Amino acid sequence: MLAAPNPRTGPAPSAGPVDAARPDARWADADAATLRALRDWVEHAPDPVALVDAAGRMRRVNPAFERAFGAPERAGALPSPVLARFVPLLTPPRLARWLAEADPDGAPRVHRLMAEGVSADGERFLVAATLLRTDPGPEAGADAPRCLVTLRPLDAPRGLLATDAAERGAQPGRAPDAVGVHALVDATLRSLAPADRRRRIELALHAPRAALAAEPESLRHALLQVVTNALRYSSPDTPVSIRSRHDACDEAEWIVLVVSDRGPGLSRAQQQRAFEPFWRAPTAFAHPGQGMGLPTARRLVDAAGGWIELKSVPGVGTEVELWLPGAAAPLDA
């Protein structure tokens, strides 16, 4: 759930963001797994997130917002301070005007802009802002959240944002779990529809004793997000391959999981936005989804100490690599 740094910030939202591609689609209609992924991503996202009402007052913020801007109750402002206190460009009138705009088909617009952010102690830095209108329902009051705002600090001083991974790294004595590559892929495939498992998945996994040093369930969920994307956005008569290999980088041992499809592919500009929450390529609008698959996968892989790389060619397909730390010793066969 979104964190509530001040108990007076009002009730939780009754519905979530509207899918910009389908004006009648709401997060409240999404399946339970998608909602859990959304709440988990918001709570642990490295980017600041705030829910804002019609008057521009922040009703909820996540921990990353507190780290970047200072908790609202420490800002010396109202119990529910206006977002403009931290991003001066996002004044209540401007927010109201943007939220009232719609595309010709009636879908709410997703606004993206560059703006100046101001922390609680006066530190100024540049942020990339994404605004997405929410639908609180016909019976919601004036204090119900109307807009979800994500802010990505672009030039914040080092140390202003403390990542979850860094915080976990400060905990001594906690050794990572070990999970076999084959066991991880098998658990992921069991989460797919039987038809997809039998007809569309091609496997090319390396050494059967190879193991990863990370929490198994988080990795399964990350890999499932990537594989589901590949299946969803490529033709049903084309395969999706899952490969693995061993690699060495920066004097460390890595296991690389590679998911490839023969879908429409992404342009270079689209690849740069593929990990933005709620962003979807124009070719994806014909398919169900909320644009949280890759952002969720990246957060989980980052938390495991790895990273994700995306390679895509329009008209050819997309390949996603999950670089994950290898375990110190292989598992028994």
Side-chain angles (χ1 to χ4, degrees):
M1 294 178 64
L2 286 167
N6 191 305
R8 295 171 290 176
T9 52
S14 59
V18 176
D19 186 334
R22 297 180 299 150
D24 60 338
R26 301 179 181 177
W27 282 106
D29 300 325
D31 59 86
T34 298
L35 289 173
R36 284 196 301 270
L38 172 65
R39 296 188 188 104
D40 190 56
W41 177 84
V42 169
E43 182 68 15
H44 300 93
D47 295 334
V49 179
L51 276 171
V52 181
D53 65 17
R57 295 185 298 264
M58 295 188 300
R59 294 297 172 179
R60 295 287 187 274
V61 301
N62 68 344
F65 191 102
E66 297 184 30
R67 291 194 295 266
F69 295 94
E73 67 265 28
R74 297 199 302 267
L78 300 172
S80 298
V82 293
L83 181 62
R85 163 65 180 82
F86 303 96
V87 186
L89 180 64
L90 301 181
T91 61
R94 185 173 280 116
L95 280 171
R97 185 171 65 253
W98 282 339
L99 295 180
E101 295 178 359
D103 286 324
D105 62 357
R109 288 183 175 176
V110 177
H111 295 282
R112 296 181 175 89
L113 65 150
M114 308 289 286
E116 182 182 62
V118 183
S119 66
D121 60 2
E123 186 76 42
R124 295 178 178 269
F125 47 92
L126 188 65
V127 298
T130 302
L131 290 75
L132 184 67
R133 192 174 73 186
T134 68
D135 183 359
E139 300 180 359
D143 59 351
R146 304 281 176 175
C147 182
L148 185 145
V149 182
T150 63
L151 303 166
R152 177 172 298 176
L154 300 178
D155 61 351
R158 186 178 298 274
L160 186 61
L161 290 172
T163 64
D164 290 341
E167 291 169 356
R168 278 193 300 275
Q171 300 175 2
R174 185 183 184 279
D177 299 323
V179 56
V181 171
H182 284 238
L184 171 65
V185 173
D186 181 67
T188 302
L189 296 184
R190 290 176 185 274
S191 302
L192 300 174
D196 286 333
R197 289 202 304 264
R198 291 193 303 267
R199 302 174 188 172
R200 297 195 61 191
I201 301 297
E202 297 180 346
L203 296 179
L205 305 180
H206 75 306
R209 299 179 63 201
L212 302 161
E215 199 279 314
E217 182 58 23
S218 293
L219 290 189
R220 184 197 67 82
H221 191 57
L223 181 59
L224 179 62
Q225 297 292 324
V226 176
V227 173
T228 300
N229 263 12
L231 291 169
R232 178 179 295 161
Y233 300 123
S234 57
S235 176
D237 58 355
T238 60
V240 169
S241 71
I242 304 176
R243 310 188 306 275
S244 71
R245 70 174 189 268
H246 173 270
D247 211 320
C249 180
D250 295 333
E251 301 182 356
E253 301 299 319
W254 299 88
I255 303 296
V256 186
L257 297 176
V258 185
V259 179
S260 302
D261 65 55
R262 301 177 189 174
L266 299 171
S267 67
R268 181 171 298 181
Q270 291 169 344
Q271 292 178 53
Q272 294 175 348
R273 301 185 60 184
F275 293 97
E276 289 184 16
F278 311 116
W279 182 83
R280 306 185 72 203
T283 53
F285 287 169
H287 304 275
Q290 290 84 22
M292 287 298 298
L294 287 180
T296 298
R298 183 174 70 171
R299 184 189 66 76
L300 293 172
V301 171
D302 286 349
W307 68 87
I308 286 184
E309 294 184 0
L310 184 147
K311 306 171 184 176
S312 190
V313 178
V316 176
T318 299
E319 184 173 277
V320 179
E321 293 187 350
L322 289 73
W323 286 69
L324 300 163
L331 296 178
D332 293 334

